[in-house]
Amino acid sequence: IERIELEWKPTTTLGELGAIDLTGSRKTTIRVVDFTDSRKHPNIIGKNVEDIDDDGDGVITITTQTKINNWLKQQVTTTMRQMGAKIDQNAGQTRLSAEIQRFHVTEGQTYKSDVALIFTLRNQAGVVLWEGLSSGSATRFGRSLSDENYSEVLSDAVLEAVHGLLSQPGFRSALAKAA
């Protein structure tokens, strides 16, 4: 088992992800609330399969002490703000929560990340306005068992997932209607 400290290290720029039409949805403020981790092993974030043999031996499990739910909440909040969403952590008109479905890297010839989040948007009374899955992935070359490479591909996958969330017409429509 290898243990890494997860850091925010995207290599993708927001401009590379493309424009997002936020028409109408910027009238509503969002408060990002709880992120829950529904994965079976929340401390496992990846596996190295470079030296796997025919019997399946040689897999190195990659873990972290970083609380993924808190780390993701912080990164999603910051990224949404950078992408133009109106975030108000004190008095948002809507509440956005997420359930972590996947947050994982497979390291072989390359680093391949897979992040999937089920987002739920509620009004102040707790009524669900919208719910949906947004996911992201990234692939990078890098040196074996590198903390930095794990952080980079996971950060890039989170950027893609947030871009996907803000690009979903149903999410934007629910925000516009909540104003």
Side-chain angles (χ1 to χ4, degrees):
I1 292 182
E2 270 299 305
R3 185 176 306 269
I4 71 163
E5 188 62 35
L6 195 57
E7 295 181 54
W8 182 246
K9 287 189 163 281
T11 63
T12 302
T13 65
L14 298 181
E16 290 175 81
L17 296 172
I20 301 170
D21 179 6
L22 297 172
T23 304
S25 60
R26 287 192 37 86
K27 296 177 184 173
T28 305
T29 56
I30 303 166
R31 180 176 177 198
V32 181
V33 293
D34 300 327
F35 277 45
T36 57
D37 198 339
S38 65
R39 297 174 305 135
K40 189 173 182 178
H41 302 287
N43 65 324
I44 296 176
I45 62 166
K47 64 183 176 181
N48 175 298
V49 297
E50 289 176 311
D51 296 325
I52 194 168
D53 62 23
D54 292 336
D55 297 325
D57 294 329
V59 174
I60 300 171
T61 301
I62 309 300
T63 64
T64 186
Q65 289 184 333
T66 303
K67 298 290 184 202
I68 299 303
N69 57 332
N70 295 335
W71 186 86
L72 271 171
K73 178 183 173 187
Q74 178 184 352
Q75 305 317 329
V76 167
T77 302
T78 301
T79 302
M80 287 181 70
R81 186 177 283 125
Q82 291 171 341
M83 289 183 176
K86 289 186 72 174
I87 304 295
D88 183 342
Q89 286 300 93
N90 297 316
Q93 296 164 286
T94 59
R95 308 283 185 265
L96 181 69
S97 60
E99 179 185 340
I100 304 163
Q101 295 287 303
R102 294 188 308 275
F103 189 85
H104 194 266
V105 175
T106 300
E107 178 189 357
Q109 297 296 325
T110 59
Y111 287 80
K112 294 181 181 180
S113 62
D114 179 29
V115 171
L117 306 166
I118 295 177
F119 287 99
T120 304
L121 183 69
R122 291 182 169 86
N123 65 15
Q124 290 180 330
V127 174
V128 174
L129 304 173
W130 179 88
E131 188 169 46
L133 175 80
S134 190
S135 60
S137 61
T139 302
R140 297 277 177 276
F141 288 99
R143 58 186 169 76
S144 185
L145 297 171
S146 164
D147 290 19
E148 185 173 9
N149 292 135
Y150 277 91
S151 291
E152 287 173 353
V153 294
L154 286 167
S155 297
D156 285 346
V158 170
L159 281 180
E160 191 174 282
V162 173
H163 186 271
L165 169 69
L166 294 176
S167 297
Q168 291 190 25
F171 178 75
R172 292 192 323 264
S173 176
L175 274 177
K177 290 176 185 172

